[in-house]
Amino acid sequence: MPDQEETISGLDAIRVATGRKPAQHLGLLIAWSNAEPERIGEVALLTEGTAVTLGRGEGSGGPRARLVRQRPGVNEPGGPLGGLGLSREQLRIEARADALDVTLTGKPPLELRGVDVERCTLGVGDAVVVRGQLLLFCVKRPERLPPSRGFPADALAPFGRPDALGILGEAPATWRLREQVAFAAEAAGHVLILGESGVGKELSARAVHRLSARRDRALVARNAATLPPGLIDAELFGHVRNYPNVGMPERAGLVGEAHGGMLFLDEIAQLPVDLQAHLLRVLDAGGEYQRLGDAAARRSDFLLLAATNRDPSGLAHDFGARFPLRIEVPPLRERACDVPLLVRHLLLRACERSPALLERFVTTIDGSPHPRVDPALVLDLMTRSLPGNVRELDALLWRALSESDGDAVLALRERAEPATPATPTAEPSAQQIRDALREQAGSVTRAAAALGLPSRFALYRLMKRLGLSSPEE
C-alpha cells in the first residue's frame, strides 16, 4: 500500500506550537480525468463523520466535495468539476476513521477492480473508476501542507508540471525533497544523496547546483565506479605537464575542473573503502590536494555531491562523516499520487520525439497537449512496486505505447508482479528495531527487510522518530 505520509519540513514548528502532529484526513485524489486532465493531482479531503457529494458543477442540496490543489502552506481551490459526462450528483462519500464509504448516485457506472458496483469501501491506496470520466485514488493527507521554509517561489511551476529544477510532483514526499534540495543549496556543504535506483538522484544533484551560489560555475560529473584504482589520483587530481612521460599535457583532474563549482560523483559507495581515503584531505576545509608530479600543494574551492543507492553505513566512517548534508530521494511507492503526473509528462516527452506518435496519442484540450490514456494503465502503474522507479516507469510506458492498437495508450497486456517486501501489520517497536539491527550485524538494509519495511529509508525515518541512533553514528 503506498505510503502517503506528510512532509517533514515545518512539522517541528507545528509540534512545538501545538504539542502534536497535524491531523490527517482521508481523501479522494483525481488520478486521471479524460475531460479535465489539468485537474490530475487535486484532492478532496474529508473529516471523519462527514458526508459529501461529488459531481459536475455546483449541484443542489447537501455539502459538496471541495477539491483543492495542495501546496505548502496553501490549499488552492480547484472549483467544481466540469466533465459533461458526469452527473451533478455522481457519488456520495462518507468518511470514517480509516475508510471512505462511496455510493453511486449518478449515471456513469462505478468500477472497483474492474467490477461494476453500487457502493464500496476504500482504504488508503484503493481506487475506483467513474467509467469514461475519472480515476479516484484514496489518500491520507494533512489538512494543509506545512509552509515552505526555503524553496524559492520563482522556481515553482503551474500545478502538476515540472518545476524550474526539473522536479515533478505534488505529493508531500516530493515537497519534502524540494525542501531538502533548497536547504542543501543554501547550506553550502558536501552532500550525500541517497535513493533507490532510478529515483532521480542526479536530477537532485543538478537541482542543488542550480539553486546554489555556484550556479554559474561548473558542475563536473563522473560515475565513481568508473574510476580505475591504479589511476584514481590522476583522475581526481590531475598531473603536471611532462608527467609521467615527456610530452604529456597538463591535466587539471576532476577536482581542479570543479574549482569554484561542484563535483558530482555518482555510485560513490562502489568506490572501494581504501580508495575513499584518497578524497579525505581534499574534502576538508581548504580543499588541499596535490597533482601528480607537482612539488607544491594546490587548493580547490569545490563542493562534492555524491550519490548512492546503497546503505550509507557501507562508506568508510571518516569518509561518510565528511558529508554534513544528506538528501533522501523518495521512491515512487512513497509518492504514488505523483505517478499520474509522471505518466502524463513521460508520455508527452515520448510522443514529442515522433510526429506519428504525437498525432496518434495526443489531443489538445484548452490549448495544452494531453495524452489519451486508458485509466486502467494509470491505476496499474500506481499500484506496482516499480523497483526501478522513474526509469522503470518510463520503460513500461514505452512498452504500453508499442502494444496499443488504437488512438489511446492502453493498459499493459500482462502484469508480472515483482516480489515486494512484506508489509508489517504494526509499526516495529524500538526494541524490535534494536534486535533486528543486532541480528543483521548492523545492516540497516537487511534489518528493514526483516522488519517488513519497504526500504532502509523507511527504517531511518522510524529510527529518527523513536530517537534511535543509526549504526554509523
Side-chain angles (χ1 to χ4, degrees):
M1 183 177 295
D3 180 6
Q4 301 292 333
E5 59 185 31
E6 77 285 352
T7 55
I8 303 302
S9 301
L11 290 184
D12 291 339
I14 294 175
R15 289 192 183 103
V16 170
T18 66
R20 59 183 176 81
K21 286 178 63 176
Q24 300 282 301
H25 299 276
L26 289 178
L28 285 181
L29 177 132
I30 298 179
W32 201 258
S33 170
N34 289 329
E36 298 179 293
E38 288 291 350
R39 307 199 64 167
I40 296 172
E42 291 185 17
V43 62
L45 298 175
L46 286 83
T47 303
E48 180 183 352
T50 61
V52 297
T53 297
L54 179 70
R56 176 171 52 87
E58 296 292 349
S60 60
R64 307 283 288 183
R66 187 172 67 91
L67 288 157
V68 297
R69 297 180 170 188
Q70 278 198 313
R71 285 194 152 180
V74 61
N75 286 346
E76 303 171 359
L81 292 172
L84 295 178
L86 283 174
S87 298
R88 290 193 176 274
E89 296 186 1
Q90 180 64 46
L91 301 175
R92 178 175 172 79
I93 309 160
E94 300 178 52
R96 294 191 274 121
D98 57 355
L100 298 176
D101 294 324
V102 180
T103 303
L104 177 65
T105 55
K107 290 182 179 180
L110 184 67
E111 297 178 13
L112 177 68
R113 304 183 186 96
V115 178
D116 287 2
V117 296
E118 294 294 324
R119 59 181 59 85
C120 60
T121 297
L122 305 178
V124 175
D126 292 334
V128 289
V129 175
V130 179
R131 190 180 299 162
Q133 302 299 319
L134 295 171
L135 170 62
L136 301 171
F137 190 75
C138 185
V139 297
K140 195 170 190 178
R141 295 272 188 89
E143 183 174 355
R144 191 178 296 266
L145 299 183
S148 174
R149 296 188 299 177
F151 193 77
D154 59 2
L156 292 176
F159 185 85
R161 300 294 180 179
D163 60 31
L165 308 177
I167 300 173
L168 172 59
E170 303 292 343
T174 308
W175 282 105
R176 176 177 180 268
L177 171 63
R178 288 187 175 102
E179 292 294 321
Q180 290 181 327
V181 165
F183 182 83
E186 181 67 24
H190 301 308
V191 183
L192 183 61
I193 304 173
L194 306 170
E196 298 176 5
S197 176
V199 292
K201 296 185 291 296
E202 182 169 353
L203 176 67
S204 298
R206 294 187 180 279
V208 171
H209 177 253
R210 290 179 63 180
L211 283 183
S212 76
R214 298 168 181 257
R215 66 181 68 88
D216 295 327
R217 304 300 296 271
L219 173 63
V220 180
R222 180 73 180 270
N223 190 315
T226 66
L227 294 173
L231 299 174
I232 187 169
D233 284 339
E235 295 285 338
L236 290 173
F237 309 127
H239 54 76
V240 298
R241 187 169 176 268
N242 293 324
Y243 184 91
N245 300 310
V246 175
M248 291 286 289
E250 181 182 31
R251 184 178 183 184
L254 297 173
V255 168
E257 291 174 8
H259 177 63
M262 295 184 177
L263 171 61
F264 173 58
L265 291 180
D266 199 4
E267 306 294 353
I268 194 67
Q270 293 191 36
L271 193 66
V273 170
D274 60 324
L275 298 184
Q276 294 172 20
H278 291 238
L279 280 160
L280 295 181
R281 187 170 183 81
V282 76
L283 292 180
D284 288 334
E288 186 175 295
Y289 71 103
Q290 198 159 1
R291 287 185 183 177
L292 298 181
D294 199 346
R298 295 172 178 265
R299 295 183 183 276
S300 178
D301 173 23
F302 79 105
L303 293 178
L304 178 61
L305 309 174
T308 181
N309 59 9
R310 298 186 178 184
D311 191 327
S313 64
L315 298 175
H317 180 77
D318 51 356
F319 182 61
R322 280 163 167 82
F323 294 95
L325 303 169
R326 297 196 175 187
I327 293 173
E328 293 185 13
V329 186
L332 284 185
R333 65 176 171 274
E334 293 187 9
R335 52 189 188 109
C337 51
D338 281 344
V339 169
L341 300 174
L342 286 162
V343 166
R344 180 176 65 189
H345 173 72
L346 294 173
L347 283 176
L348 283 176
R349 188 176 70 179
C351 290
E352 285 170 356
R353 300 174 185 173
S354 165
L357 291 178
L358 192 66
E359 181 178 358
R360 180 177 167 191
F361 292 115
V362 176
T363 187
T364 299
I365 300 176
D366 295 332
S368 299
H370 296 280
R372 287 185 289 267
V373 176
D374 181 354
L377 171 64
V378 180
L379 180 56
D380 177 12
L381 296 174
M382 291 181 77
T383 53
R384 284 180 181 251
S385 63
L386 295 174
N389 292 286
V390 179
R391 188 179 297 121
E392 181 177 353
L393 177 64
D394 192 35
L396 288 171
L397 289 172
W398 275 106
R399 181 179 141 197
L401 283 167
S402 69
E403 292 179 355
S404 298
D405 298 326
D407 61 356
V409 188
L410 303 178
L412 296 164
R413 293 174 184 170
E414 295 181 3
R415 173 170 174 167
E417 286 285 0
T420 56
T423 301
T425 56
E427 185 177 274
S429 67
Q431 188 57 51
Q432 287 174 316
I433 292 174
R434 294 190 191 97
D435 292 343
L437 287 169
R438 184 176 62 254
E439 292 168 1
Q440 302 300 328
S443 170
V444 178
T445 298
R446 294 197 299 271
L451 291 166
L453 295 170
S455 71
R456 65 185 183 276
F457 304 114
L459 180 52
Y460 279 128
R461 287 192 294 273
L462 182 55
M463 291 169 66
K464 182 178 180 181
R465 191 164 71 247
L466 294 174
L468 299 178
S469 298
S470 59
E472 66 267 22
E473 291 179 343

